[in-house]
Amino acid sequence: MRKTLYMMATLSGVAALLIASFAYRPQQFPGFKTEKLELDSTILDITTIAKNLNVPWEMVWGPDNMIWFTDHDGKVSRLNPKTGQTTELLQIKDYYRKRLGLMSMVLHPDWKTNPHVFINYTHIQPDSVIVSKLVRYTYNGKALIEPVLLKQIPGYLGHNGSRLVISKDRKLLWATGDLKQKETIHNPAFTNGKVLRLNLDGTIPADNPHPGSPAWAMGFRVPQGLTYTKNGNLFIAEHGDATDDEVNLVAKGGDYGWPNLAGFSDMPEEKKHSETRETIFPVKAWTPTIAPAGMDFYDGNIPEWKNALLLSTLKGQSLRVLKLDAKQEKILSEDIIFSQKFGRLRDVCGSPAGDIYISTSNRDWNPPANFPVTTDDRIIRISKSGVIPKNRRMVKTAKQADKQSTASLFANFCESCHKADGRGVPGSFPSLVTSSRLSGENTVLIPFLLKGSQSASGEGMPGFGFLTDEQLSDIVFYARSKFSSNTNVVSAREIGAIRAKN
């Protein structure tokens, strides 16, 4: 498990932990009801163990059996999973809070001799230039002290990434976003859109694929999940644009295609690119997008989830269980848990006893409908509490997906930005209620939907040319009927004609 490398033990020690986990009964917290969730053969307890937090970004299971976590207030804290007590360890003063402030954290695997914590956060300089800092702190038993800047790279208003993990050979892997600077993603002299590999002192390893460069792999958009499996394979989860959120198996020197390739090579321009440049395709891709966030490898005592990647999602508002093959190279199946139950889920963390912890992200800049609730943000524990008798187990049957309704098309492709009420997010995503494009001529609206608009100073909008003419017609119909004074229908035939001209 990526966050418990320092907890690796002998086989007998592991066995003892697993035996103990079956006898473990979670602490009951006053004011919080433990809910039950039944899987195929396992009964789970679902319990909130911390509330009223502000966007816990990273959770790490510490060598002290505490959950160490960062949050949007610029704090690093420890949470006692048995009592719910939280202790602040660090308040970073110079982080840049807008959207992404304090993000990733990883603890040194040789904790007894090196009680070091590596933290990544964004910072705005006096000249208004945004940078992303990698800083090492030392834990003195009470607080994080003695900050040492290991590396500083360019940052941005968004698209910074990021996640940190440490490999078995004691290298620091750092996933970075593209910073919306597509022209430098495939240049090893630049750090954006890559997985960087550093020595633990911040220097560049001699065996990196590009001499003098920290670049280990490239071609990523906005990675927010990074984890090692038990056998040492490194997986990364990243946000796509309008299509193709991805999970990739990271290889030394690998090229993962962005911005020339999203998901698999299934568009004419993508096919042309993949014919001329060796590109690694994802092991899993999602369209409509789900906004993948934290990811952890699980090999604990919940049999249905054993040997799986656990992936928290923001837009998807769910926990995804991605079962792996025996070599831990391919994703064989996907289960969706907690869909829209807790809102946006930012991270997932496992304990040696087999418990799983998820953190919500409902007080961030882009909350979903009906969130945050009064207890947000929360850290929630998932623990095995029993086994379902064989005579009560349900047999799963496959269901065929129904044709998407106009409302579901809007929800899948538009709602995460423009919101269910069409009013968007002020300063980030425009309102459809006041949109002159939506209420204007079809000859203006349709080319914009097909091609999108990318702005260096803002989020812009992706092109939706990958959707069919019928789907675009349905989306325009839904948006206009809900939010616009212009309720004119644009037919699929008209969209096709405009597409042909553009």
Side-chain angles (χ1 to χ4, degrees), residues 305-322:
W305 297 355
K306 196 173 181 64
N307 191 40
L309 299 174
L310 303 183
L311 177 68
S312 59
T313 70
L314 301 170
K315 178 183 173 184
Q317 300 181 48
S318 59
L319 179 69
R320 306 292 173 116
V321 181
L322 308 175

Side-chain angles (χ1 to χ4, degrees), residues 180 182 221 240-244 258-259 262 267 269-270 287-289 412-414 417-418 445-455 459-468 471-472 475 499 502:
K180 298 191 72 176
K182 299 178 180 179
R221 185 174 179 266
D241 196 0
T243 68
D244 296 294
W258 179 256
M267 300 292 286
E269 299 83 1
E270 295 176 335
T287 300
T289 55
N412 287 332
F413 294 104
C414 311
C417 295
H418 296 295
L445 174 64
I446 301 308
F448 179 76
L449 290 177
L450 290 170
K451 294 185 177 181
S453 174
Q454 296 299 323
S455 168
E459 281 296 318
M461 190 187 85
F464 289 90
F466 61 90
L467 294 176
T468 67
Q471 288 173 322
L472 286 172
I475 287 174
R499 189 195 294 266
N502 288 268

Side-chain angles (χ1 to χ4, degrees), residues 273-459:
H273 173 78
S274 60
E275 288 172 357
T276 58
R277 183 162 182 164
E278 185 175 350
T279 305
I280 300 175
F281 298 136
V283 294
K284 179 73 176 177
W286 291 268
T287 300
T289 55
I290 59 173
M295 183 166 61
D296 208 350
F297 173 71
Y298 184 75
D299 204 37
N301 62 356
I302 301 173
E304 292 90 338
W305 297 355
K306 196 173 181 64
N307 191 40
L309 299 174
L310 303 183
L311 177 68
S312 59
T313 70
L314 301 170
K315 178 183 173 184
Q317 300 181 48
S318 59
L319 179 69
R320 306 292 173 116
V321 181
L322 308 175
K323 291 285 287 187
L324 296 173
D325 67 337
K327 294 183 178 180
Q328 298 174 353
E329 296 175 348
K330 299 177 181 179
I331 292 174
L332 302 178
S333 65
E334 175 185 22
D335 285 329
I336 303 174
I337 314 296
F338 306 132
S339 181
Q340 299 185 345
K341 180 178 179 61
F342 299 119
R344 288 157 64 91
L345 300 182
R346 177 64 67 175
D347 198 20
V348 55
C349 167
S351 77
D355 296 339
I356 298 162
Y357 299 84
I358 55 177
S359 64
T360 69
S361 189
N362 295 320
R363 293 193 180 277
D364 60 18
W365 64 278
N366 191 19
N370 304 316
F371 290 95
V373 297
T374 54
T375 54
D376 278 333
D377 275 312
R378 295 175 279 171
I379 293 177
I380 299 163
R381 179 174 56 214
I382 307 163
S383 56
K384 180 177 179 179
S385 63
V387 176
I388 302 173
K390 288 185 178 181
N391 61 356
R392 284 187 48 226
R393 296 179 188 177
M394 301 293 292
V395 177
K396 288 187 175 180
T397 57
K399 294 182 179 180
Q400 289 195 357
D402 296 328
K403 181 181 177 182
Q404 288 180 300
S405 67
T406 55
S408 65
L409 281 169
F410 181 86
N412 287 332
F413 294 104
C414 311
E415 188 174 303
S416 63
C417 295
H418 296 295
K419 317 314 286 182
D421 62 4
R423 297 189 179 278
V425 179
S428 298
F429 301 124
S431 168
L432 296 180
V433 176
T434 59
S435 171
S436 60
R437 284 196 182 94
L438 185 61
S439 62
E441 297 293 329
N442 294 342
T443 52
V444 174
L445 174 64
I446 301 308
F448 179 76
L449 290 177
L450 290 170
K451 294 185 177 181
S453 174
Q454 296 299 323
S455 168
S457 59
E459 281 296 318

Side-chain angles (χ1 to χ4, degrees), residues 184-325:
T184 56
I185 292 173
H186 297 277
N187 187 336
F190 294 82
T191 55
N192 61 311
K194 296 178 177 65
V195 171
L196 308 179
R197 181 172 179 262
L198 300 168
N199 295 315
L200 296 185
D201 61 1
T203 59
I204 297 172
D207 60 344
N208 273 11
H210 307 281
S213 168
W216 182 252
M218 59 185 68
F220 304 104
R221 185 174 179 266
V222 185
Q224 288 193 6
L226 195 66
T227 187
Y228 277 104
T229 63
K230 188 175 182 179
N231 67 3
N233 287 338
L234 180 63
F235 283 90
I236 188 171
E238 63 174 310
H239 290 221
D241 196 0
T243 68
D244 296 294
D245 288 340
E246 298 180 9
V247 169
N248 285 283
L249 177 59
V250 180
K252 178 180 180 179
D255 179 349
Y256 293 82
W258 179 256
N260 303 299
L261 182 69
F264 303 95
S265 183
D266 51 10
M267 300 292 286
E269 299 83 1
E270 295 176 335
K271 291 178 180 178
K272 184 182 297 185
H273 173 78
S274 60
E275 288 172 357
T276 58
R277 183 162 182 164
E278 185 175 350
T279 305
I280 300 175
F281 298 136
V283 294
K284 179 73 176 177
W286 291 268
T287 300
T289 55
I290 59 173
M295 183 166 61
D296 208 350
F297 173 71
Y298 184 75
D299 204 37
N301 62 356
I302 301 173
E304 292 90 338
W305 297 355
K306 196 173 181 64
N307 191 40
L309 299 174
L310 303 183
L311 177 68
S312 59
T313 70
L314 301 170
K315 178 183 173 184
Q317 300 181 48
S318 59
L319 179 69
R320 306 292 173 116
V321 181
L322 308 175
K323 291 285 287 187
L324 296 173
D325 67 337

